[in-house]
Amino acid sequence: EEEEEEEEMPEELAGLDPETQQRRLMQMSFTTMGLGTALVVLFSDPMTDVLGELGTRTGIKPFYVSFVIAPLASNASELIASYSYALKKTPKSISIALQALQGAACMNNTFCLSIFMALIYFQGLAWEYSAETVAIVVCQLGVAVMSSRKTQTVGSAIGVFMLYPLCLALVATLESFGFD
């Protein structure tokens, strides 16, 4: 039997009637989303410049810098939220936390790959990213297979985690064979 999970309500709203709670929750949500949007607008361009400069100074290809560092920076909130959820240590909460991370990863990859391909098509850019594209699609298929399970285990988490370095290795291997 699964334990009943209690709903979370901020302490400052706990004593209010349900209608007032909902109104205040919506106000808090919109305020938080507005603040988050403002921070993204404010810091995204400088962050892009920093990542580009990091790649230039270290001699690491931009793909690897953006594939390793950018997701950690852009998905930090999902990592923290999933960690908090997983701290409940129930099978349901841990599965939800892992599936949320897997879903976020697939959505980010799909969205970014779509934008990337649209830019190449509409701007008439040279296609030099076959290895990266193949690796991203293979990684997404791996995550999809792992996510299809109803309950996630430590083995599932390790499998998903290992897809990350395996994807980087796949890119390096494909590029070493001349697959651009």
Side-chain angles (χ1 to χ4, degrees), residues 134-177:
V134 167
I136 288 171
V137 171
V138 167
C139 188
Q140 281 194 220
L141 290 173
V143 170
V145 168
M146 304 261 187
S147 298
S148 65
R149 300 181 189 146
K150 184 175 180 178
T151 302
Q152 303 295 322
T153 64
V154 172
S156 303
I158 292 170
V160 169
F161 181 76
M162 291 307 298
L163 286 173
Y164 199 70
L166 290 173
C167 190
L168 290 173
L170 179 59
V171 170
T173 302
L174 290 172
E175 285 180 344
S176 72
F177 286 112

Side-chain angles (χ1 to χ4, degrees), residues 10-38:
E11 289 180 27
E12 65 268 18
L13 303 180
L16 301 174
D17 63 275
E19 187 176 306
T20 306
Q21 282 180 343
Q22 287 298 312
R23 191 176 70 252
R24 294 282 308 279
L25 279 173
M26 292 299 282
Q27 288 172 342
M28 292 169 65
S29 297
F30 281 114
T31 301
T32 303
M33 289 183 350
L35 180 61
T37 302

Side-chain angles (χ1 to χ4, degrees), residues 19-94:
E19 187 176 306
T20 306
Q21 282 180 343
Q22 287 298 312
R23 191 176 70 252
R24 294 282 308 279
L25 279 173
M26 292 299 282
Q27 288 172 342
M28 292 169 65
S29 297
F30 281 114
T31 301
T32 303
M33 289 183 350
L35 180 61
T37 302
L39 289 173
V40 167
V41 168
L42 183 65
F43 291 110
S44 61
D45 191 42
M47 180 67 171
T48 303
D49 294 341
V50 167
L51 290 175
E53 188 63 25
L54 180 67
T56 301
R57 289 185 182 199
T58 59
I60 299 172
K61 290 183 178 182
F63 171 77
Y64 294 106
V65 172
S66 63
F67 196 79
V68 175
I69 296 173
L72 293 175
S74 66
N75 294 320
S77 63
E78 280 125 348
L79 291 170
I80 292 167
S82 291
Y83 177 73
S84 299
Y85 211 85
L87 285 176
K88 294 179 181 179
K89 296 184 180 179
T90 65
K92 183 178 178 182
S93 67
I94 291 172

Side-chain angles (χ1 to χ4, degrees), residues 116 120 125-133 175 179-180:
F116 177 65
I120 287 175
L125 302 174
W127 178 260
E128 298 175 356
Y129 306 99
S130 297
E132 292 86 349
T133 304
E175 285 180 344
F179 202 63
D180 64 353

